[in-house]
Amino acid sequence: MGDDDDELAGYLAGMVLECNDVPKKDKLKELKVDVGTGEPLTIVTNASNVKPGVRVVVATVGSALKDGEKVRKATVGGVASEGMLCDGPMLG
C-alpha cells in the first residue's frame, strides 16, 4: 500500500439499514449503517439525503479527516455516534 492508501485508512463503504429522526432535534437523523464489520454502526447525521438502502462512505472512529482532525465517538443530540458520513468535498 502506498501513502495515498494510508489517507483512506478507516474509511469504509456502507449501506444505510435504518434511518430515524432524533427526537426533539429538527434536522438530526440516527442511522444504522452496515460497513461489513459485524454489528451495524450507529451514526448521527444532519444529511437530508439519506434513507434505507443508500450506499455511503463512513469515516470510522480514529480516521483522519482532510484537516488532520481524527473522528471520535461522540454524543450528538443525545445519541452516541460511532463515525461520520462523508461527502465528496470531505474526501478531497
Side-chain angles (χ1 to χ4, degrees), residues 67-82:
D67 65 3
E69 189 174 338
K70 298 262 184 185
V71 175
R72 55 185 163 63
K73 190 171 185 176
T75 300
V76 182
V79 179
S81 186
E82 303 171 299

Side-chain angles (χ1 to χ4, degrees), residues 49-84:
N49 59 343
V50 293
K51 61 184 178 185
V54 170
R55 294 189 186 276
V56 293
V57 176
V58 176
T60 58
V61 172
S63 302
L65 300 174
K66 229 168 77 169
D67 65 3
E69 189 174 338
K70 298 262 184 185
V71 175
R72 55 185 163 63
K73 190 171 185 176
T75 300
V76 182
V79 179
S81 186
E82 303 171 299
M84 185 173 144

Side-chain angles (χ1 to χ4, degrees), residues 9-87:
Y11 287 76
L12 300 173
M15 171 139 352
V16 177
L17 302 175
E18 298 177 25
C19 179
N20 298 297
D21 292 335
V22 173
K24 300 181 183 175
K25 300 294 178 186
D26 289 342
K27 296 181 182 179
L28 293 180
K29 296 179 188 298
E30 178 182 351
L31 310 177
K32 294 293 183 189
V33 181
D34 180 1
V35 294
T37 59
E39 289 293 313
L41 299 178
T42 299
I43 297 177
V44 178
T45 184
N46 65 354
S48 61
N49 59 343
V50 293
K51 61 184 178 185
V54 170
R55 294 189 186 276
V56 293
V57 176
V58 176
T60 58
V61 172
S63 302
L65 300 174
K66 229 168 77 169
D67 65 3
E69 189 174 338
K70 298 262 184 185
V71 175
R72 55 185 163 63
K73 190 171 185 176
T75 300
V76 182
V79 179
S81 186
E82 303 171 299
M84 185 173 144
L85 296 190
C86 299
D87 60 13

